[in-house]
């Protein structure tokens, strides 16, 4: 069975997938030549296939498990940081609930689809208005509703969200909505009040390590036991990032290499600690030319200033040699610079500005 | 006749001049039948594109070098037609979605889906996926980046995306976590000198070490610029002499003069003259963020530390507004006016303290 349902759908047309899904199997055997299995990234390959595989998120799993057993499903709003399993959970649940009818019963829209107000008015409404029967083609019973999954819902416009409001209520007999987003604050209140909200927590160290170990065993990856911890630190609770990092490292270094912490750090784009110390040291000297030189060097070595600022916050807060007031001034500026940088400001100017503020604060 | 930059561009991973360890890693990557989405990041002229092309060649063979131009047209949701040039071979497609300006989201959605949903015709071909190279990925709007997220996952079996970006700061974390980042630092000065020397040797020229050193210094660790400068110098005067003048980019000279003028006089009349000069630069196609950076670098040269800090504070503020605003000239000019203000106040205070 292939990694994930989504891939299976994407390849139905061509029959490339050899999924456990029976309709796909049929297609695959019809294909004229035997094809190699499409290479799947581990993130897809090891996506949870049933709701019971989902780790950590106990509340939502409990609700979905009930539903798989035949109970009704509420409209849902899943939110939480990236890589915590929001999309995986709902897709796994849908496959369990609907089985072969999965394709007819699910409408998945994400930010890559056109999702303006027109789509809500036509596509979503039309799909919602279809009635769903409560028996499967093979005679078994199934829940009499369809699910509309709106992935990355926080990038929908407010107008489009507003257009959803009445549709969600009116079609509640035959349709359930599942909205997925990172920031619940970007969803308008009338929508959130119509859904039961589930927060996805960032994953803990033990869960990530357990999963990584599982993958390493199956794939035959050689890895230094200490390296697991660094992966967790790099990923910050994001399972996808953890798995991608592991796989990237494995691919780059080849199968014979034992992955260690240094490889991981280089791969992830994390800036070595000494750069942060140097930056503060240069600022302490109060010499503008040295600061400029240092900033240029960072630019040449291609480290990301955004990443540097992220790490610098932590560094400043923990730094023992600064007074509280200095820390406050620096962090204030840091926030401002980070914001501007994210918003498209120039890297060079932002980090120079930060540097000048630090120089003045340390005087 | 091709420029040296193109003529001597390394075409294979094994022939790269620097970052050899990385090249080794990239070769490892190709050995397996498959690679993840990639993001090459580094300053301009560090060799990101060269590495991408080498990687593709390693994967697909010489076929990737048979390029053809194609113009694709898209219709935006508001029924406006936009056209985007793409360069591609049978195996890959290179596109710069930011050409479409604010409509880059449509390009990302349509083009990538279109490519991703078609399969390679030749099933015995080496790979089962096509590669889409997105250049200037950091210029993509947030909307377009969000549109990429799920597409990257969904079509991962038929299509890989290679992003080439200058800095990862502007890439949303969701994209960053889906890509394998490959850092391409600028070459060190020694590495650059070596490349210049070997290029000259292949051209049959003699390059004095002093000149090579000066070219490297002037080029700001940008390999492409260094080679272009060297070639320009060769056109100007050959045989080379150690003291010969190196052709400098004229907009840089112009910008420096502008900065000098700002420091020399702070009056409304001068401001108006500066405006003409800024317009001139903009109309020549110099990117406004480079103008900003150049101005700041020059202006703070002869200032006191407190002025430097203030100048930078305003520069960041106006530069940020410029990125979000529509008309660049307003913000450039506002910054110049603000600088004149700070500078003049500072001078006045100096005179006051001198009097006492």
């Amino acid at each position: 069975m292939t990694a994930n349902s989504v891939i299976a759908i994407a390849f139905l047309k061509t029959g490339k997938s050899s999924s456990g899904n029976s309709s796909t199997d049929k297609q695959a055997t019809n294909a004229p030549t035997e094809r190699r299995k499409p290479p799947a990234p581990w993130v897809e390959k090891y996506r949870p296939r049933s709701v019971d595989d989902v780790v950590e998120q106990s509340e939502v799993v409990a609700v979905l498990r009930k539903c798989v057993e035949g109970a009704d499903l509420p409209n849902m709003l899943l939110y939480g940081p990236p890589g915590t399993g929001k999309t995986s959970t709902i897709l796994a649940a849908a496959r369990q609930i609907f089985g072969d009818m999965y394709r007819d019963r699910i409408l998945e829209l994400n930010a890559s689809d056109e999702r303006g107000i027109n789509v809500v008015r036509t596509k979503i409404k039309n799909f919602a208005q279809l009635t769903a029967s409560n028996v499967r083609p093979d005679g078994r019973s199934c829940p009499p509703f369809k699910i509309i999954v709106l992935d990355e819902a926080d990038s929908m416009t407010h107008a489009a969200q507003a257009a959803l409001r009445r549709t969600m209520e009116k079609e509640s007999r035959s349709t359930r909505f599942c909205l997925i987003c990172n920031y619940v604050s970007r969803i308008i209140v009338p929508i959130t009040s119509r859904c039961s909200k589930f927060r996805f927590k960032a994953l803990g160290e033990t869960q990530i390590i357990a999963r990584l170990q599982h993958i390493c065993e199956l794939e035959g990856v050689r890895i230094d036991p200490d390296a697991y911890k660094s992966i967790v630190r790099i990923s910050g609770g994001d399972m996808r990032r953890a798995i991608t990092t592991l796989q990237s490292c494995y691919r780059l270094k080849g199968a014979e290499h034992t992955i260690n912490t240094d490889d991981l750090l280089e791969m992830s784009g994390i800036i070595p600690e000494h750069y942060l110390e140097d930056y503060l040291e240069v600022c302490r000297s109060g010499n503008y030319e040295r600061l400029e030189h240092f900033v240029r060097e960072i630019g040449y070595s291609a480290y990301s200033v955004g990443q540097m600022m992220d790490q610098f916050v932590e560094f400043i807060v923990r730094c023992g040699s600064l007074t509280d007031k200095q820390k406050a001034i620096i962090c204030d500026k840091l926030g401002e610079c980070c914001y501007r940088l994210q918003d498209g400001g120039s890297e060079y100017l932002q980090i120079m500005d930060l540097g000048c503020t630090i120089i003045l604060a340390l005087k | 006749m091709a420029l040296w930059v193109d003529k001597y561009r390394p075409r294979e991973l094994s022939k790269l001049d620097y970052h050899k360890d990385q090249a080794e890693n990239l070769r490892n990557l190709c050995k397996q039948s498959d690679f993840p989405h990639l993001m090459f990041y580094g300053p301009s002229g560090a060799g990101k594109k060269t590495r991408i092309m080498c990687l593709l060649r390693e994967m697909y063979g010489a076929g990737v070098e048979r390029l053809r131009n194609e113009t694709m047209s898209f219709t935006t949701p508001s029924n406006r037609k936009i056209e985007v040039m793409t360069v591609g071979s049978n195996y890959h497609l290179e596109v710069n979605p930011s050409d479409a300006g604010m409509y880059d989201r449509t390009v990302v959605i349509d083009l990538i889906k279109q490519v991703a949903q078609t399969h390679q015709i030749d099933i015995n071909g080496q790979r089962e996926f096509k590669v889409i190279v997105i250049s200037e990925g950091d210029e993509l709007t947030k909307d377009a980046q969000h549109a990429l997220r799920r597409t990257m996952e969904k079509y991962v079996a038929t299509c890989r995306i290679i992003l080439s970006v200058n800095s990862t700061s502007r890439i949303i974390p969701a994209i960053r976590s889906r890509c394998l980042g490959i850092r391409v630092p600028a070459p060190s000065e020694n590495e650059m000198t070596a490349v210049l020397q070997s290029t000259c040797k292949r051209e049959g020229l003699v390059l004095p070490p002093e000149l090579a050193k000066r070219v490297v210094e002037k080029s700001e660790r940008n390999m492409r610029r260094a080679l272009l400068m060297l070639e320009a110098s060769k056109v100007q005067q050959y045989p080379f002499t150690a003291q010969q003048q190196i052709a400098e980019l004229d907009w840089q000279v112009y910008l420096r003069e502008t900065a000098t003028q700002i420091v020399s006089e702070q009056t409304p009349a001068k401001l108006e003259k500066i405006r003409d000069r800024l317009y001139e630069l903009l109309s020549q196609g110099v990117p406004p963020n480079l103008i900003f950076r150049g101005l700041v670098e020059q202006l703070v040269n002869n200032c006191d530390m407190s002025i430097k800090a203030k100048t930078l504070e305003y520069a960041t503020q106006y530069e940020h507004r410029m990125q979000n605003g529509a008309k660049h000239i307003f913000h450039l000019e506002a910054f110049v006016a603000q600088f004149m203000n700070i500078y003049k106040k500072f001078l006045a205070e100096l005179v006051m303290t001198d009097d006492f």
Side-chain angles (χ1 to χ4, degrees):
Chain A
M1 176 152 163
T2 27
N4 128 332
S5 47
V6 182
I7 294 222
I9 299 173
F11 292 103
L12 273 180
K13 284 180 204 148
T14 55
K16 280 194 87 169
S17 158
S18 54
S19 150
N21 187 330
S22 74
S23 64
T24 329
D25 269 348
K26 234 177 276 164
Q27 292 258 344
T29 42
N30 288 346
T33 44
E34 187 73 22
R35 285 186 185 172
R36 274 174 292 165
K37 205 171 144 195
W42 295 349
V43 188
E44 304 293 344
K45 202 165 163 189
Y46 295 100
R47 238 183 227 277
R49 283 175 211 143
S50 73
V51 282
D52 296 312
D53 289 348
V54 177
V55 289
E56 187 100 10
Q57 325 294 353
S58 47
E59 298 97 342
V60 69
V61 167
V63 170
L64 288 171
R65 198 177 294 140
K66 279 266 160 56
C67 183
V68 171
E69 286 159 10
D72 198 10
L73 189 73
N75 285 331
M76 289 193 295
L77 175 65
L78 313 181
Y79 66 99
T84 46
K86 300 179 293 296
T87 312
S88 305
T89 310
I90 191 69
L91 290 179
R95 282 172 65 83
Q96 277 186 299
I97 296 172
F98 297 122
D100 301 348
M101 293 148 56
Y102 174 81
R103 282 219 296 149
D104 308 327
R105 291 291 181 91
I106 287 269
L107 177 66
E108 192 199 343
L109 293 173
N110 56 55
S112 71
D113 303 295
E114 198 46 58
R115 270 198 313 198
I117 190 158
N118 265 334
V119 174
V120 175
R121 282 188 186 143
T122 54
K123 202 168 170 186
I124 293 187
K125 224 170 157 183
N126 287 344
F127 183 78
Q129 279 168 349
L130 300 172
T131 43
S133 92
N134 58 357
V135 280
R136 291 192 193 181
D138 58 9
R140 279 168 39 211
S141 70
C142 74
F145 54 74
K146 309 172 297 291
I147 300 182
I148 297 183
V149 180
L150 293 170
D151 209 344
E152 293 147 26
D154 38 7
S155 66
M156 283 174 84
T157 60
H158 280 196
Q161 291 184 29
L164 264 183
R165 294 164 53 169
R166 192 68 188 127
T167 315
M168 281 177 84
E169 284 181 347
K170 253 187 8 212
E171 309 303 338
S172 59
R173 220 165 39 83
S174 63
T175 307
R176 297 291 176 273
F177 283 83
C178 176
L179 281 77
I180 301 178
C181 62
N182 291 133
Y183 304 103
V184 74
S185 53
R186 299 216 187 122
I187 306 290
I188 59 173
V189 181
I191 298 278
T192 52
S193 72
R194 282 173 174 81
C195 300
S196 35
K197 286 186 273 185
F198 295 101
R199 197 181 111 78
F200 278 64
K201 296 180 275 292
L203 301 172
E205 186 175 301
T206 39
Q207 271 104 358
I208 296 188
I209 291 185
R211 194 75 183 154
L212 290 177
Q213 274 168 343
H214 173 70
I215 294 177
C216 285
E217 268 166 36
L218 288 182
E219 298 285 341
V221 181
R222 293 186 197 177
I223 182 166
D224 197 28
D226 291 341
Y228 285 121
K229 287 235 161 102
S230 348
I231 298 187
V232 173
R233 220 179 42 217
I234 291 163
S235 68
D238 179 340
M239 183 72 93
R240 174 173 39 226
R241 183 141 185 228
I243 298 179
T244 317
T245 312
L246 178 69
Q247 187 178 17
S248 310
C249 211
Y250 173 68
R251 288 240 183 88
L252 266 189
K253 295 290 178 184
E256 279 77 48
H257 187 85
T258 306
I259 296 171
N260 58 36
T261 307
D262 291 342
D263 302 334
L264 290 163
L265 287 183
E266 166 61 29
M267 181 104 34
S268 57
I270 300 261
I271 295 170
E273 194 82 351
H274 71 87
Y275 273 98
L276 303 177
E277 284 158 18
D278 289 353
Y279 184 56
L280 195 65
E281 202 42 54
V282 165
C283 289
R284 212 184 282 278
S285 76
N287 185 334
Y288 185 86
E289 279 71 38
R290 272 187 66 193
L291 175 66
E292 189 170 8
H293 182 74
F294 177 78
V295 168
R296 268 173 203 272
E297 279 304 316
I298 288 213
Y300 290 145
S301 55
Y303 284 115
S304 144
V305 171
Q307 176 68 38
M308 168 146 179
M309 287 193 180
D310 284 352
Q311 289 177 247
F312 199 59
V313 179
E314 194 121 316
F315 181 76
I316 284 293
V317 171
R318 297 219 179 124
C319 181
S321 61
L322 298 170
T323 65
D324 285 353
K325 195 172 171 214
Q326 286 169 338
K327 285 184 186 176
I329 297 173
I330 295 172
C331 285
D332 184 31
K333 193 71 186 181
L334 202 54
E336 206 176 328
C337 289
C338 265
Y339 159 68
R340 289 194 192 129
L341 195 63
Q342 275 280 313
D343 216 28
S346 134
E347 286 197 330
Y348 172 81
L349 290 179
Q350 300 304 337
I351 194 162
M352 286 304 287
D353 185 21
L354 180 65
C356 282
T357 309
I358 300 178
I359 289 180
L360 291 182
L362 292 183
K363 256 185 186 168
Chain B
M1 195 188 93
L3 292 171
W4 293 352
V5 186
D6 295 319
K7 204 164 154 193
Y8 298 116
R9 185 190 294 269
R11 302 206 192 285
E12 282 166 45
L13 284 175
S14 51
K15 298 225 173 99
L16 289 175
D17 291 298
Y18 45 88
H19 305 329
K20 286 189 195 290
D21 293 352
Q22 188 187 52
E24 189 54 42
N25 286 344
L26 290 175
R27 254 214 307 282
N28 273 336
L29 198 64
C30 291
K31 273 184 202 145
Q32 282 128 22
S33 62
D34 151 48
F35 67 88
H37 300 297
L38 299 176
M39 178 164 68
F40 283 79
Y41 60 101
S44 50
K48 300 183 290 295
K49 213 38 156 313
T50 308
R51 277 167 184 73
I52 293 176
M53 288 317 289
C54 290
L55 183 74
L56 289 176
R57 195 189 145 103
E58 185 91 15
M59 298 271 306
Y60 294 111
V64 281
E65 279 164 19
R66 277 199 296 276
L67 296 175
R68 55 173 187 267
N69 269 328
E70 239 177 285
T71 314
M72 295 200 163
S73 68
F74 304 96
T75 319
T76 63
S78 53
N79 270 332
R80 174 197 281 260
K81 278 233 157 61
I82 42 171
E83 293 199 332
V84 173
M85 283 282 287
T86 61
V87 181
S89 69
N90 286 335
Y91 309 100
H92 84 290
L93 186 75
E94 194 184 321
V95 63
N96 186 352
S98 47
D99 284 349
M102 59 179 287
Y103 297 110
D104 56 355
R105 179 161 172 265
T106 323
V107 176
V108 167
I109 294 180
D110 287 2
L111 174 105
I112 295 180
K113 280 198 171 170
Q114 198 179 323
V115 173
Q117 283 171 343
T118 51
H119 282 287
Q120 300 278 49
I121 296 174
D122 177 16
I123 49 163
N124 298 320
Q126 292 164 303
R127 308 279 181 230
E128 286 163 324
F129 49 83
K130 270 194 165 191
V131 173
I132 300 179
V133 181
I134 298 182
S135 36
E136 293 181 31
D138 40 358
E139 299 290 321
L140 286 175
T141 57
K142 291 266 149 68
D143 257 1
Q145 294 188 30
H146 279 294
L148 259 183
R149 287 169 59 167
R150 192 78 184 115
T151 321
M152 284 170 90
E153 288 188 341
K154 237 174 159 166
Y155 302 113
V156 76
T158 37
C159 142
R160 295 288 183 284
I161 290 174
I162 299 186
L163 288 158
S164 157
V165 304
N166 277 339
S167 135
T168 54
S169 304
R170 268 184 235 173
I171 303 290
I172 57 172
I175 302 265
R176 263 186 274 165
S177 80
R178 281 170 174 81
C179 293
L180 163 57
I182 296 190
R183 189 165 63 92
V184 187
S188 74
E189 297 195 351
N190 291 339
E191 285 162 344
M192 288 184 72
T193 321
V195 173
L196 291 184
Q197 289 291 4
S198 77
T199 308
C200 280
K201 209 183 261 169
R202 284 156 82 176
E203 275 288 307
L205 306 175
V206 183
L207 177 66
E210 294 85 7
L211 183 67
K213 193 158 173 270
R214 279 174 51 222
V215 170
V216 168
E217 274 165 15
K218 274 260 157 69
S219 66
E220 299 177 348
R221 307 269 290 270
N222 181 334
M223 196 68 239
R224 185 187 320 120
R225 192 183 285 173
L227 280 169
L228 286 173
M229 274 180 176
L230 188 67
E231 192 166 2
S233 314
K234 189 228 155 195
V235 173
Q236 272 178 356
Q237 183 190 348
Y238 186 81
F240 291 129
T241 56
Q243 300 313 318
Q244 117 178 58
Q245 193 149 36
I246 299 166
E248 220 179 327
L249 296 175
D250 48 356
W251 66 266
Q252 283 187 327
V253 181
Y254 195 78
L255 191 62
R256 205 176 311 140
E257 279 168 14
T258 313
T260 325
Q261 288 188 14
I262 296 173
V263 179
S264 70
E265 189 185 331
Q266 295 87 32
T267 56
K270 193 75 198 173
L271 187 59
E272 216 159 303
K273 281 201 188 114
I274 299 292
R275 173 193 294 167
D276 290 341
R277 294 184 73 100
L278 291 177
Y279 259 128
E280 181 68 27
L281 281 169
L282 284 174
S283 65
Q284 298 293 328
V286 182
N289 49 345
L290 279 187
I291 301 184
F292 239 109
R293 181 175 170 168
L295 272 183
V296 172
E297 277 173 347
Q298 295 298 328
L299 286 178
V300 295
N301 260 347
N302 301 313
C303 299
D304 200 60
M305 190 57 219
S306 63
I307 304 263
K308 279 177 178 156
K310 251 190 200 154
T311 311
L312 273 160
E313 193 180 329
Y314 282 112
T316 46
Q317 194 177 329
Y318 287 116
E319 203 261 354
H320 171 236
R321 286 187 193 162
M322 180 180 77
Q323 295 291 347
N324 290 313
K327 271 281 213 190
H328 299 136
I329 185 79
F330 293 156
H331 307 281
L332 279 169
E333 209 175 290
F335 169 65
V336 173
Q338 189 62 259
F339 177 79
M340 285 183 169
N341 181 20
I342 305 171
Y343 197 72
K344 199 153 192 184
K345 262 191 199 150
F346 173 69
L347 287 184
E349 269 168 29
L350 268 191
V351 175
M352 294 261 282
T353 39
D354 277 358
D355 280 351
F356 286 113

